[in-house]
Amino acid sequence: MSDAAQPTAAEVRAAAEAVKTALDRHLAAVERRSGEEDPAVYDAFNELAAAAEAYDELLYDRYDEVTPFEIPGEDTLPPYTGPEEPSALSVLIRRDYAVAEPQRLMAQARRVEAADEDAPGAGASGTVHGALGLLFGEFEPDEIASRHKEFGLEEGDSTLWVTAADESAEPGEWLEAPFEQVDPERVVCRFDVSAVFDEEFDDGGDDEDDEDEGEDGEADLPDLDEDLDTDLDTDLDEDGESARLEADR
Protein backbone atom coordinates (compact mmCIF):
# COMPACT_ATOMS: atom_id res chain seq x y z
CA MET A 1 0.00 0.00 0.00
CA SER A 2 1.35 3.47 -0.85
CA ASP A 3 2.08 6.07 1.83
CA ALA A 4 -0.73 8.27 0.50
CA ALA A 5 -3.30 5.52 1.01
CA GLN A 6 -2.14 4.48 4.46
CA PRO A 7 -4.44 5.19 7.42
CA THR A 8 -3.25 7.73 9.92
CA ALA A 9 -2.11 6.89 13.42
CA ALA A 10 -5.24 8.64 14.70
CA GLU A 11 -7.45 6.35 12.63
CA VAL A 12 -5.73 3.30 14.03
CA ARG A 13 -6.14 4.63 17.55
CA ALA A 14 -9.83 5.34 16.92
CA ALA A 15 -10.31 1.78 15.64
CA ALA A 16 -8.65 0.44 18.81
CA GLU A 17 -11.02 2.53 20.95
CA ALA A 18 -13.94 1.12 18.95
CA VAL A 19 -12.81 -2.39 19.82
CA LYS A 20 -12.68 -1.49 23.51
CA THR A 21 -16.18 -0.04 23.35
CA ALA A 22 -17.49 -3.10 21.51
CA LEU A 23 -15.89 -5.36 24.13
CA ASP A 24 -17.68 -3.49 26.93
CA ARG A 25 -21.00 -3.69 25.09
CA HIS A 26 -20.58 -7.39 24.41
CA LEU A 27 -19.79 -8.15 28.04
CA ALA A 28 -22.76 -6.08 29.20
CA ALA A 29 -25.07 -7.91 26.79
CA VAL A 30 -23.79 -11.28 28.00
CA GLU A 31 -24.33 -10.27 31.63
CA ARG A 32 -27.91 -9.21 30.89
CA ARG A 33 -28.85 -11.96 28.46
CA SER A 34 -32.30 -13.47 28.79
CA GLY A 35 -31.46 -16.89 27.31
CA GLU A 36 -28.98 -18.88 25.27
CA GLU A 37 -30.08 -17.22 22.02
CA ASP A 38 -30.57 -13.63 23.17
CA PRO A 39 -30.57 -11.42 20.04
CA ALA A 40 -28.84 -8.62 21.98
CA VAL A 41 -25.85 -10.89 22.57
CA TYR A 42 -25.84 -11.89 18.91
CA ASP A 43 -25.86 -8.23 17.80
CA ALA A 44 -23.09 -7.32 20.24
CA PHE A 45 -21.05 -10.27 19.02
CA ASN A 46 -21.32 -9.08 15.42
CA GLU A 47 -20.41 -5.52 16.38
CA LEU A 48 -17.33 -6.76 18.23
CA ALA A 49 -16.29 -8.93 15.28
CA ALA A 50 -16.68 -6.01 12.86
CA ALA A 51 -14.73 -3.65 15.10
CA ALA A 52 -11.92 -6.16 15.59
CA GLU A 53 -11.68 -6.82 11.86
CA ALA A 54 -11.55 -3.10 11.06
CA TYR A 55 -8.81 -2.55 13.66
CA ASP A 56 -6.82 -5.52 12.39
CA GLU A 57 -6.88 -4.18 8.83
CA LEU A 58 -5.89 -0.65 9.82
CA LEU A 59 -3.15 -1.90 12.11
CA TYR A 60 -1.68 -3.96 9.30
CA ASP A 61 -1.96 -1.17 6.73
CA ARG A 62 -0.30 1.38 9.00
CA TYR A 63 2.25 -0.66 10.96
CA ASP A 64 2.45 -4.00 9.13
CA GLU A 65 1.33 -5.73 12.34
CA VAL A 66 -1.54 -8.10 13.09
CA THR A 67 -3.68 -8.97 16.10
CA PRO A 68 -3.91 -12.44 17.69
CA PHE A 69 -7.68 -12.48 17.16
CA GLU A 70 -9.34 -14.82 14.67
CA ILE A 71 -12.29 -13.05 13.09
CA PRO A 72 -15.19 -15.51 12.62
CA GLY A 73 -16.47 -15.98 9.10
CA GLU A 74 -19.93 -15.29 7.77
CA ASP A 75 -20.90 -18.98 7.70
CA THR A 76 -22.25 -18.93 11.27
CA LEU A 77 -26.01 -19.10 11.40
CA PRO A 78 -28.14 -16.53 13.23
CA PRO A 79 -30.30 -17.63 16.17
CA TYR A 80 -33.25 -19.84 15.22
CA THR A 81 -36.52 -17.89 15.09
CA GLY A 82 -38.76 -20.46 13.40
CA PRO A 83 -41.72 -22.29 14.93
CA GLU A 84 -41.05 -24.29 18.10
CA GLU A 85 -43.06 -27.19 16.68
CA PRO A 86 -42.58 -27.13 12.89
CA SER A 87 -45.36 -28.76 10.92
CA ALA A 88 -43.24 -28.98 7.74
CA LEU A 89 -39.60 -28.93 6.78
CA SER A 90 -37.33 -28.68 3.78
CA VAL A 91 -33.98 -30.44 3.37
CA LEU A 92 -31.52 -28.49 1.21
CA ILE A 93 -28.50 -30.41 -0.05
CA ARG A 94 -25.54 -29.34 -2.15
CA ARG A 95 -22.70 -31.68 -3.15
CA ASP A 96 -19.80 -30.60 -5.33
CA TYR A 97 -17.80 -32.95 -7.54
CA ALA A 98 -14.85 -32.66 -9.88
CA VAL A 99 -14.88 -34.75 -13.05
CA ALA A 100 -11.59 -36.49 -12.34
CA GLU A 101 -11.81 -39.25 -14.96
CA PRO A 102 -13.97 -38.26 -17.96
CA GLN A 103 -13.32 -41.54 -19.79
CA ARG A 104 -14.52 -43.58 -16.83
CA LEU A 105 -17.59 -41.34 -16.54
CA MET A 106 -18.48 -41.84 -20.20
CA ALA A 107 -17.80 -45.59 -20.02
CA GLN A 108 -20.30 -45.93 -17.18
CA ALA A 109 -22.81 -43.87 -19.15
CA ARG A 110 -22.39 -46.19 -22.16
CA ARG A 111 -23.31 -49.15 -19.94
CA VAL A 112 -26.49 -47.35 -18.89
CA GLU A 113 -27.23 -46.57 -22.52
CA ALA A 114 -26.73 -50.19 -23.58
CA ALA A 115 -29.02 -51.51 -20.86
CA ASP A 116 -31.80 -48.92 -21.29
CA GLU A 117 -33.95 -49.09 -24.41
CA ASP A 118 -35.50 -45.73 -23.53
CA ALA A 119 -32.15 -43.95 -23.13
CA PRO A 120 -31.60 -40.75 -25.17
CA GLY A 121 -30.38 -40.98 -28.73
CA ALA A 122 -27.09 -42.64 -29.55
CA GLY A 123 -24.07 -40.59 -28.68
CA ALA A 124 -25.38 -39.02 -25.47
CA SER A 125 -22.69 -40.89 -23.57
CA GLY A 126 -19.99 -39.54 -25.89
CA THR A 127 -19.75 -36.20 -24.10
CA VAL A 128 -19.17 -35.38 -20.45
CA HIS A 129 -22.38 -33.38 -20.06
CA GLY A 130 -24.38 -36.09 -21.84
CA ALA A 131 -22.84 -38.79 -19.63
CA LEU A 132 -23.68 -36.78 -16.51
CA GLY A 133 -27.28 -36.48 -17.64
CA LEU A 134 -27.50 -40.24 -18.19
CA LEU A 135 -25.96 -41.17 -14.84
CA PHE A 136 -27.88 -38.69 -12.71
CA GLY A 137 -31.05 -39.73 -14.52
CA GLU A 138 -30.39 -43.39 -13.77
CA PHE A 139 -29.05 -43.27 -10.19
CA GLU A 140 -30.26 -41.54 -7.05
CA PRO A 141 -27.96 -38.72 -5.83
CA ASP A 142 -27.21 -40.68 -2.64
CA GLU A 143 -26.06 -43.67 -4.69
CA ILE A 144 -23.82 -41.48 -6.82
CA ALA A 145 -22.38 -39.98 -3.64
CA SER A 146 -21.52 -43.43 -2.28
CA ARG A 147 -20.14 -44.70 -5.63
CA HIS A 148 -18.64 -41.47 -7.00
CA LYS A 149 -15.22 -43.03 -7.68
CA GLU A 150 -16.83 -45.65 -9.93
CA PHE A 151 -18.24 -42.81 -12.02
CA GLY A 152 -14.93 -40.97 -12.33
CA LEU A 153 -15.94 -38.23 -9.90
CA GLU A 154 -14.01 -36.69 -7.04
CA GLU A 155 -15.85 -35.35 -4.00
CA GLY A 156 -15.70 -31.68 -3.12
CA ASP A 157 -17.47 -29.80 -0.33
CA SER A 158 -21.02 -30.70 0.66
CA THR A 159 -23.63 -29.20 2.95
CA LEU A 160 -27.07 -30.19 4.22
CA TRP A 161 -29.52 -27.73 5.78
CA VAL A 162 -32.79 -28.68 7.48
CA THR A 163 -35.17 -25.72 7.53
CA ALA A 164 -38.50 -25.43 9.35
CA ALA A 165 -41.71 -24.17 7.78
CA ASP A 166 -45.16 -23.27 9.08
CA GLU A 167 -46.84 -25.38 6.41
CA SER A 168 -45.95 -27.48 3.41
CA ALA A 169 -45.48 -25.68 0.11
CA GLU A 170 -48.01 -26.10 -2.66
CA PRO A 171 -47.01 -28.66 -5.32
CA GLY A 172 -44.83 -27.03 -7.96
CA GLU A 173 -44.61 -23.78 -6.00
CA TRP A 174 -40.82 -23.52 -5.63
CA LEU A 175 -39.46 -25.75 -8.39
CA GLU A 176 -38.26 -22.90 -10.63
CA ALA A 177 -36.09 -21.38 -7.86
CA PRO A 178 -35.64 -24.07 -5.19
CA PHE A 179 -33.03 -22.27 -3.03
CA GLU A 180 -34.11 -18.67 -3.47
CA GLN A 181 -36.23 -18.25 -0.35
CA VAL A 182 -34.03 -19.92 2.28
CA ASP A 183 -34.33 -18.11 5.63
CA PRO A 184 -31.16 -18.68 7.71
CA GLU A 185 -33.14 -17.98 10.89
CA ARG A 186 -35.30 -21.05 10.20
CA VAL A 187 -32.42 -23.50 9.83
CA VAL A 188 -32.98 -26.21 12.44
CA CYS A 189 -29.59 -27.85 11.87
CA ARG A 190 -26.78 -27.84 9.37
CA PHE A 191 -24.06 -30.35 8.46
CA ASP A 192 -20.98 -29.40 6.43
CA VAL A 193 -18.28 -31.65 4.96
CA SER A 194 -15.14 -30.02 3.57
CA ALA A 195 -11.50 -30.80 2.99
CA VAL A 196 -10.81 -27.53 4.81
CA PHE A 197 -11.73 -29.20 8.09
CA ASP A 198 -9.20 -31.98 7.44
CA GLU A 199 -6.47 -29.44 6.66
CA GLU A 200 -7.12 -27.61 9.94
CA PHE A 201 -6.24 -30.74 11.92
CA ASP A 202 -3.36 -31.84 9.68
CA ASP A 203 -0.12 -30.48 11.11
CA GLY A 204 2.07 -32.45 8.73
CA GLY A 205 2.56 -35.48 10.96
CA ASP A 206 5.42 -37.87 10.54
CA ASP A 207 6.58 -38.11 6.94
CA GLU A 208 7.66 -41.70 7.46
CA ASP A 209 4.20 -42.62 8.74
CA ASP A 210 2.66 -40.98 5.68
CA GLU A 211 4.96 -42.94 3.41
CA ASP A 212 4.12 -46.17 5.19
CA GLU A 213 0.43 -45.51 4.78
CA GLY A 214 0.95 -44.93 1.08
CA GLU A 215 2.94 -48.15 0.69
CA ASP A 216 0.57 -50.28 2.77
CA GLY A 217 -2.72 -48.79 1.70
CA GLU A 218 -3.02 -46.38 -1.20
CA ALA A 219 -0.36 -48.14 -3.28
CA ASP A 220 -2.73 -51.07 -3.64
CA LEU A 221 -5.72 -48.97 -4.67
CA PRO A 222 -4.95 -48.77 -8.42
CA ASP A 223 -4.67 -52.57 -8.60
CA LEU A 224 -7.97 -52.92 -6.78
CA ASP A 225 -9.49 -50.40 -9.16
CA GLU A 226 -8.31 -52.39 -12.17
CA ASP A 227 -9.77 -55.55 -10.67
CA LEU A 228 -13.13 -53.84 -10.21
CA ASP A 229 -13.06 -52.64 -13.82
CA THR A 230 -12.22 -56.15 -15.03
CA ASP A 231 -15.03 -57.69 -12.98
CA LEU A 232 -17.50 -55.09 -14.19
CA ASP A 233 -16.53 -55.56 -17.83
CA THR A 234 -16.83 -59.34 -17.45
CA ASP A 235 -20.30 -59.05 -15.95
CA LEU A 236 -21.45 -56.89 -18.83
CA ASP A 237 -19.81 -58.96 -21.59
CA GLU A 238 -22.36 -60.56 -23.91
CA ASP A 239 -20.56 -63.89 -23.47
CA GLY A 240 -19.77 -63.26 -19.82
CA GLU A 241 -21.57 -66.30 -18.45
CA SER A 242 -19.81 -68.61 -20.90
CA ALA A 243 -16.46 -67.07 -20.07
CA ARG A 244 -16.99 -67.67 -16.36
CA LEU A 245 -18.04 -71.25 -16.95
CA GLU A 246 -14.94 -71.88 -19.04
CA ALA A 247 -12.79 -70.37 -16.32
CA ASP A 248 -14.36 -72.66 -13.70
CA ARG A 249 -13.49 -75.67 -15.79
Side-chain angles (χ1 to χ4, degrees):
M1 178 176 287
S2 66
D3 292 340
Q6 282 186 346
T8 65
E11 289 174 328
V12 179
R13 172 63 62 181
E17 293 299 327
V19 173
K20 298 175 186 177
T21 301
L23 272 169
D24 290 337
R25 289 176 178 171
H26 182 259
L27 178 58
V30 170
E31 292 173 337
R32 297 192 306 266
R33 68 181 178 186
S34 58
E36 292 185 0
E37 297 182 352
D38 190 330
V41 175
Y42 177 75
D43 292 340
F45 173 90
N46 284 338
E47 290 175 9
L48 176 57
E53 184 173 15
Y55 171 62
D56 189 84
E57 291 179 357
L58 290 173
L59 185 71
Y60 181 79
D61 291 343
R62 176 68 185 181
Y63 299 110
D64 198 24
E65 290 290 344
V66 295
T67 66
F69 310 124
E70 181 178 352
I71 308 303
E74 296 297 325
D75 58 347
T76 55
L77 291 171
Y80 176 74
T81 61
E84 287 297 323
E85 298 183 4
S87 58
L89 60 88
S90 294
V91 179
L92 304 153
I93 301 175
R94 171 174 171 169
R95 298 187 180 111
D96 282 6
Y97 298 96
V99 180
E101 300 180 72
Q103 295 303 320
R104 176 182 287 270
L105 176 76
M106 291 186 286
Q108 292 283 13
R110 284 195 293 272
R111 295 185 177 107
V112 172
E113 239 176 4
D116 187 0
E117 297 178 354
D118 298 326
S125 61
T127 63
V128 171
H129 75 271
L132 288 169
L134 281 168
L135 292 175
F136 277 88
E138 177 70 16
F139 302 102
E140 293 290 333
D142 286 344
E143 184 172 0
I144 289 179
S146 65
R147 299 173 56 191
H148 62 277
K149 290 184 178 180
E150 294 179 39
F151 302 133
L153 302 176
E154 182 179 305
E155 280 185 319
D157 290 356
S158 65
T159 187
L160 181 151
W161 294 26
V162 179
T163 64
D166 295 313
E167 57 184 19
S168 298
E170 294 293 328
E173 182 178 21
W174 49 261
L175 294 179
E176 291 185 2
F179 306 113
E180 197 172 67
Q181 299 177 350
V182 179
D183 184 353
E185 295 187 352
R186 287 185 168 235
V187 175
V188 177
C189 55
R190 168 180 171 175
F191 305 96
D192 297 323
V193 177
S194 174
V196 172
F197 303 145
D198 297 332
E199 292 170 2
E200 288 177 355
F201 295 103
D202 183 8
D203 295 329
D206 191 335
D207 292 340
E208 292 182 1
D209 290 343
D210 293 341
E211 291 176 2
D212 290 343
E213 287 180 7
E215 291 175 2
D216 296 339
E218 293 185 5
D220 294 330
L221 289 179
D223 294 338
L224 178 60
D225 204 41
E226 290 177 6
D227 292 342
L228 289 173
D229 286 346
T230 302
D231 292 343
L232 186 57
D233 290 338
T234 302
D235 290 343
L236 293 169
D237 194 299
E238 292 179 359
D239 300 324
E241 189 63 32
S242 298
R244 283 193 294 275
L245 289 173
E246 290 294 332
D248 290 342
R249 291 174 187 165

